[in-house]
Amino acid sequence: MKALTWEGKHSIAVKNVHEPTILNPLDAIVKVTTAAICGSDLHLYNGYIPTMRKGDIMGHETMGEVMEVGSMVKNIKVGDRIVIPFDIGCGHCQHCQDEEYSVCDNSNPNFIIPEKLYGHSGAGLFGYSHMYGGYAGGQAEYIRVPYVDTNSLVIPPGIDDEKVLFLSDIFPTGYMAAENCNIKPGDTVAIWGAGPVGLMAIKSAFLLGAERVIAIDHVPARLKLAQDCGAEIINYEDIDAITDQLSFLTGGRGPDSCIDAVGMEAHGHTILNAIDTVKQKIKLGTDRPDVLRRAIQSCREGGTVSVPGVYGGLLDKFPFGAAFGKGLTMKMGQTHTQKYMKPLLDRILNDDIDPSFIISHRIDIDKGPDAYEGFNEEKDEYIKVVIKMQ
Ligand SMILES: [Zn+2]
Ligand SMILES: [Zn+2]
């Protein structure tokens, strides 16, 4: 089958590889109909996530048709159309029972690596390095889905793939980021990054009752979409002092909550970001946390900073004193996607939201390598790429 594979930093290939087979009685094999490239795939593309190996299959935003199921699968049958969450839950451990699927205790066979780094390991993830289980991703014609009874959402007939594909990651991710803000009526939410997750967070913040959302980015096409979603916008290329601007826009108070939908590869013009960039290049630093610093600095006293953006290591010059001094609540982590898929499907079926508005490019798999390059370099108004499988 054809698949998009990681060949090294800045190198993605279309390769012919073996089709997956059932390895465990709880598995299913799915013929992929639509997949997407995620902003967090760019952290792999740029070589910032360790333990990738040449030939690893990319992709964690996937849906398709079930072709084969293992002998112990109960809820899913051949022919079902399913969306597959990016994180893998076993369905049985204490975390999965508590709907904390992205920190499942059983799905990461390589738990020893994150355990050494982080004390404990998160769940296995599709297409996201060997430290997260080495599972083949979904930017391919077929994918093996472990524990498929837990890691699937059956889609009723008659709904276009594009409307429901983003239940695999970015819609639940944006929604959980907004939910983590504990939004109350009248609240103002500031969101850094108006990429796909940021845009989903804008929509979700309004669904959860925010009065105002302020989106911060520097890509005009993204800011335009943020504005279409009802957000006020700030282009940080035009404004140096974001914290002052946010304070000004909120009567001196600061936003009630701040969402960092950017993560470890922040851009920006601050001196600290210049230092981060150099340290990351020469491998003296792991992350560029400039957005997180600004979110903490800008948030009102007693407010919440919510972090759906991905971080990997140790953060430099982290303003913990500001977070402590203002009594901030911080919430973060990989999304517990399975918990949100069904209620958010209902939101889509009720016409509360159609997440397909973010799609900027529809390609076939052969154009995958070009799409990674264009998306990474912010060319051609890339916002969201979906890969249509034949
Ligand atoms: Zn993703
Ligand atoms: Zn589990």
Side-chain angles (χ1 to χ4, degrees):
M1 67 167 183
K2 278 187 184 176
L4 293 182
T5 59
W6 189 90
E7 299 295 312
K9 186 177 170 182
H10 295 162
S11 176
I12 300 289
V14 189
K15 272 197 173 165
N16 274 309
V17 299
H18 290 295
E19 285 175 18
T21 53
I22 301 268
L23 298 180
N24 179 300
L26 297 167
D27 289 350
I29 302 299
V30 173
K31 184 182 196 314
V32 178
T33 50
T34 313
I37 302 177
C38 181
S40 71
D41 286 329
L42 297 181
H43 304 317
L44 304 174
Y45 181 76
N46 289 322
Y48 291 126
I49 306 286
T51 71
M52 286 297 286
R53 292 184 201 153
K54 196 172 157 54
D56 283 348
I57 300 175
M58 302 284 291
H60 59 262
E61 301 186 358
T62 315
M63 67 179 293
E65 186 187 335
V66 177
M67 305 305 284
E68 193 184 349
V69 292
S71 59
M72 286 170 68
V73 172
K74 288 201 186 92
N75 307 328
I76 299 297
K77 56 185 191 312
V78 171
D80 281 346
R81 265 176 87 213
I82 61 170
V83 172
I84 303 161
F86 75 89
D87 54 322
I88 301 170
C90 74
H92 296 285
C93 71
Q94 189 62 54
H95 290 300
C96 286
Q97 296 289 307
D98 292 341
E99 296 191 299
E100 297 169 349
Y101 299 95
S102 76
V103 288
C104 170
D105 274 334
N106 288 324
S107 62
N108 185 0
N110 300 332
F111 63 90
I112 202 84
I113 308 169
E115 227 170 62
K116 281 214 171 100
L117 285 170
Y118 302 151
H120 305 272
S121 171
L125 307 174
F126 287 105
Y128 218 77
S129 84
H130 288 265
M131 75 186 246
Y132 287 112
Y135 290 99
Q139 291 165 11
E141 290 180 277
Y142 295 88
I143 184 171
R144 178 179 76 95
V145 182
Y147 313 106
V148 69
D149 284 330
T150 302
N151 302 308
S152 56
L153 173 74
V154 177
I155 300 300
I159 302 161
D160 196 62
D161 275 19
E162 292 187 358
K163 248 182 148 169
V164 292
L165 172 65
F166 302 134
L167 290 167
S168 57
D169 176 358
I170 55 169
F171 184 18
T173 296
Y175 191 88
M176 186 170 111
E179 192 181 72
N180 278 343
C181 293
N182 192 20
I183 294 166
K184 296 188 184 62
D187 272 7
T188 299
V189 181
I191 301 178
W192 277 258
V197 170
L199 291 165
M200 292 294 128
I202 294 170
K203 285 270 188 190
S204 301
F206 283 126
L207 287 173
L208 289 165
E211 187 170 307
R212 297 171 67 196
V213 177
I214 303 169
I216 302 142
D217 204 296
H218 71 147
V219 179
R222 292 189 205 150
L223 286 168
K224 166 79 175 58
L225 279 183
Q227 205 164 32
D228 294 346
C229 296
E232 299 158 55
I233 54 171
I234 297 178
N235 186 332
Y236 68 75
E237 301 281 359
D238 304 335
I239 293 163
D240 278 337
I242 291 291
T243 299
D244 290 350
Q245 180 68 9
L246 287 170
S247 192
F248 175 74
L249 289 171
T250 52
R253 212 162 164 263
D256 299 289
S257 43
C258 293
I259 295 177
D260 170 1
V262 175
M264 67 198 291
E265 293 187 60
H267 298 289
H269 308 307
T270 62
I271 290 171
L272 287 182
N273 195 54
I275 296 171
D276 294 337
T277 305
V278 171
K279 289 185 83 165
Q280 203 180 40
K281 281 225 165 74
I282 59 174
K283 300 226 182 321
L284 273 177
T286 53
D287 301 62
R288 306 200 303 257
D290 211 45
V291 161
L292 189 52
R293 292 184 190 118
R294 288 166 188 234
I296 290 171
Q297 204 70 23
S298 302
C299 195
R300 73 155 164 85
E301 311 94 295
T304 302
V305 173
S306 163
V307 189
V310 172
Y311 286 90
L314 306 174
L315 305 196
D316 224 13
K317 312 214 169 31
F318 185 71
F320 203 77
F324 183 86
K326 293 195 283 185
L328 300 184
T329 299
M330 295 191 66
K331 291 221 165 196
M332 65 198 78
Q334 297 281 12
T335 311
H336 307 303
T337 315
Q338 295 83 339
K339 174 180 170 184
Y340 296 95
M341 290 174 101
K342 179 71 179 75
L344 294 183
L345 172 64
D346 292 342
R347 290 279 200 179
I348 294 169
L349 297 177
N350 286 340
D351 285 331
D352 292 339
I353 179 171
D354 177 358
S356 65
F357 75 95
I358 61 169
I359 299 172
S360 58
H361 291 68
R362 294 168 176 83
I363 61 167
D364 66 35
I365 193 166
D366 295 314
K367 291 275 181 299
D370 295 339
Y372 268 92
E373 191 190 336
F375 187 28
N376 190 51
E377 289 170 12
E378 297 180 343
K379 311 194 274 214
D380 302 330
E381 307 203 328
Y382 272 97
I383 291 172
K384 189 69 177 175
V385 183
V386 294
I387 305 168
K388 303 281 204 182
M389 300 295 174
Q390 252 63 85

